[in-house]
Amino acid sequence: MGVINYILSLGASVMMPIIFLILGLLLGMGIGKSLKSGLSVGVGFVGLSVITQLLTDNIGPAVTAMVKAYGLHLHTLDIGWPAASAVAFGTEVGAIIIPLGLVVNVIMLLTKTTKTLNIDLWNYWHFAFIGSIVSMATKSFAWGAFAAIVTYIITLVGADRSQKAVEKFYGDGLTGISLPQAFCVTYIPFAIAINWVIEKIPGLNKIDLDADKMQKRFGILGDPIFLGVIVGIIIGVLARYTVAKTLQLSIILAAVMVLIPRITGLFIEGLKPISERSQELIAKHLPGRSFNIGMSPALVIGHPVTLVCSLLLIPTILFLSVVIPGNEFLPLASLSGLIYIFPLVLPYTKGNVIRTFIVGLVAMIVGVLSATTLAGIFTSAVKVVQASLIPAGTTSVASVDFAASPLTWLVYQGTTHLSIVGPIIIAVVVIALMVFNRSKIVAEEKAVLAAEGK
């Protein structure tokens, strides 16, 4: 447990360069190229952390001002993902999640039930979180481990099935890269289902507005830097800021819109040599087979549509939260992290701004209800692991990431509230997904061999 905690305490900016250095050396890239790849990814994480903190520091006060100005108060307080990650790694399940996850990953690679090698170790906390709250609710380590494993498998399958769409939408820089982050994978079904529904709605199905078309149609106002200013003005007005504070927020959001895409380019720069070398070795030694390197969705959160939809979703869901029937969760501390809803949504909406925003809106409406339902176990878990995270006078807490994920809700409810029937249903569904994924992987390999005439 001490070793795991030490590794995680290094943070992604240190941990990922070390992982990439080791991976590059194992792939025979040499010390120089391996080190450069690792450092590029590390610098990218540092830059992203700085810009994200800038966003949080400025969106947070604006959200607080809106809450006070309009009297938006609900029973369950959002204390952000750091509390969720503390719960995740503060239990026995959390202590073993990395070695457990890697073992499951290797077994799935050997059985061809996945083709993703998930090296995004930091985001293993999502699997640890669901495992931790289930183990606390059931008072059983075994059921907690079961919940973590099935969530992990679902995530790997989702990452595999979305990889080609990710590569096609985001470009060649994502060749051989998948995004096995549980929070992101949750919203793939939302994107597919809502996209299908919109296709059936006359008029709405004709609106085709992506980042490029937005810039062409609206000219300079469609440029990311001006979109940041516009969204900043909207949020500033809603927060009843002074003109000076509104302009300051606008410039900061414009900076975020411009800088995040440039910083995430460093991830691609670091990943490309690793990806190309791994695909080269696989083609040479394992004809017909291919593997994906599982990486953080931080690689792609800089897309203009992701940033615009995330920022517009903040005031929208804030006001809707107080009128959604049955909801008791007011998203606050987690709002700057809404960008992580969209990385695996955009490939299915083709970057259409309207469709992407609708997916995000529906996802968050479902999400706040999920967080409301899980607030009881979330609060109990925080009290056990680190009670100081709960503000004085607060009796109920939750967070968007990962308590507002429908995947978390389904696995938790199925494992804890349906006796043995729930876990059996979950196990059958997960096995079916593995078999389905294997059939797809085998078919893809046969197609590659046929194309190569082997």
Side-chain angles (χ1 to χ4, degrees):
M1 184 170 178
V3 174
I4 297 296
N5 287 337
Y6 176 73
I7 291 172
L8 293 170
S9 71
L10 294 176
S13 60
V14 176
M15 184 168 61
M16 294 310 293
I18 294 172
I19 292 172
F20 270 74
L21 173 60
I22 295 171
L23 187 58
L25 292 174
L26 290 175
L27 292 172
M29 286 174 51
I31 185 70
K33 289 184 178 180
S34 301
L35 185 59
K36 184 177 179 181
S37 287
L39 290 175
S40 294
V41 173
V43 170
F45 271 111
V46 170
L48 185 60
S49 176
V50 171
I51 299 301
T52 302
Q53 190 60 51
L54 177 68
L55 179 62
T56 301
D57 290 345
N58 287 275
I59 284 293
V63 169
T64 301
M66 280 188 267
V67 169
K68 290 181 179 178
Y70 302 101
L72 308 177
H73 295 289
L74 292 171
H75 179 63
T76 300
L77 180 68
D78 179 7
I79 57 175
W81 70 264
S85 65
V87 168
F89 290 123
T91 68
E92 292 179 347
V93 175
I96 63 140
I97 195 63
I98 290 180
L100 178 63
L102 291 174
V103 168
V104 171
N105 198 172
V106 169
I107 292 172
M108 290 182 69
L109 286 169
L110 292 174
T111 57
K112 295 186 181 182
T113 49
T114 189
K115 56 193 297 188
T116 290
L117 174 61
N118 186 9
I119 64 171
D120 183 19
L121 299 184
W122 168 248
N123 278 315
Y124 275 50
W125 79 261
H126 289 94
F127 317 120
F129 175 79
I130 182 62
S132 293
I133 61 173
V134 167
S135 68
M136 287 187 180
T138 61
K139 296 180 172 56
S140 168
F141 171 83
W143 283 124
F146 169 81
I149 290 170
V150 297
T151 304
Y152 189 68
I153 293 171
I154 292 169
T155 301
L156 287 178
V157 173
D160 282 340
R161 291 303 97 217
S162 61
Q163 195 279 325
K164 289 300 179 185
V166 166
E167 184 179 315
K168 182 178 180 181
F169 180 77
Y170 290 111
D172 293 339
L174 273 293
T175 301
I177 304 298
S178 62
L179 307 176
Q181 201 243 40
F183 188 64
C184 294
V185 167
T186 297
Y187 301 109
I188 295 175
F190 281 77
I192 294 172
I194 292 171
N195 211 42
W196 182 85
V197 171
I198 290 175
E199 282 295 333
K200 308 298 180 183
I201 302 175
L204 189 58
N205 60 3
K206 300 299 182 184
I207 299 176
D208 184 16
L209 193 64
D210 60 17
D212 292 334
K213 291 183 177 71
M214 193 160 51
Q215 191 161 351
K216 289 177 182 176
R217 181 172 297 183
F218 299 109
I220 195 170
L221 295 179
D223 188 283
I225 194 169
F226 285 97
L227 286 172
V229 170
I230 293 167
V231 174
I233 291 172
I234 293 171
I235 294 176
V237 169
L238 290 173
R240 297 183 181 176
Y241 272 5
T242 63
V243 173
K245 287 187 71 175
T246 299
L247 291 175
Q248 182 183 34
L249 179 63
S250 299
I251 296 299
I252 289 170
L253 294 190
V256 169
M257 290 287 293
V258 171
L259 294 176
I260 285 184
R262 296 185 182 182
I263 289 169
T264 54
L266 288 168
F267 293 121
I268 307 298
E269 184 181 324
L271 272 173
K272 197 170 183 179
I274 296 282
S275 176
E276 289 177 347
R277 179 59 177 166
S278 62
Q279 297 303 327
E280 178 185 315
L281 289 175
I282 291 166
K284 181 178 180 181
H285 299 290
L286 296 169
R289 291 213 66 180
S290 63
F291 296 95
N292 300 321
I293 298 174
M295 275 296 299
S296 168
L299 290 171
V300 295
I301 61 170
H303 194 281
V305 173
T306 289
L307 296 173
V308 168
C309 289
S310 301
L311 292 173
L312 290 175
L313 191 56
I314 289 173
T316 307
I317 194 59
L318 194 61
F319 288 107
L320 283 179
S321 292
V322 299
V323 298
I324 296 171
N327 178 55
E328 289 292 337
F329 174 67
L330 185 66
L332 293 171
S334 303
L335 287 175
S336 61
L338 294 185
I339 48 179
Y340 287 99
I341 289 176
F342 299 107
L344 291 179
V345 169
L346 263 64
Y348 294 94
T349 61
K350 303 296 188 292
N352 185 302
V353 178
I354 304 300
R355 297 187 183 200
T356 302
F357 180 78
I358 293 173
V359 172
L361 182 58
V362 174
M364 276 305 298
I365 290 172
V366 174
V368 294
L369 292 172
S370 171
T372 296
T373 305
L374 295 174
I377 186 62
F378 192 109
T379 306
S380 298
V382 175
K383 286 179 179 178
V384 170
V385 174
Q386 195 173 340
S388 61
L389 291 171
I390 301 177
T394 302
T395 58
S396 180
V397 295
S399 71
V400 171
D401 185 6
F402 186 45
S405 163
L407 176 59
T408 305
W409 186 88
L410 287 169
V411 173
Y412 177 81
Q413 299 295 338
T415 308
T416 61
H417 291 156
L418 295 177
S419 186
I420 194 65
V421 176
I424 289 174
I425 294 172
I426 292 172
V428 170
V429 170
V430 168
I431 291 170
L433 285 173
M434 292 171 71
V435 172
F436 169 74
N437 200 35
R438 175 180 163 77
S439 69
K440 290 291 186 179
I441 292 170
V442 171
E444 289 164 1
E445 290 179 355
K446 287 181 179 178
V448 170
L449 289 172
E452 294 175 351
K454 296 181 181 179

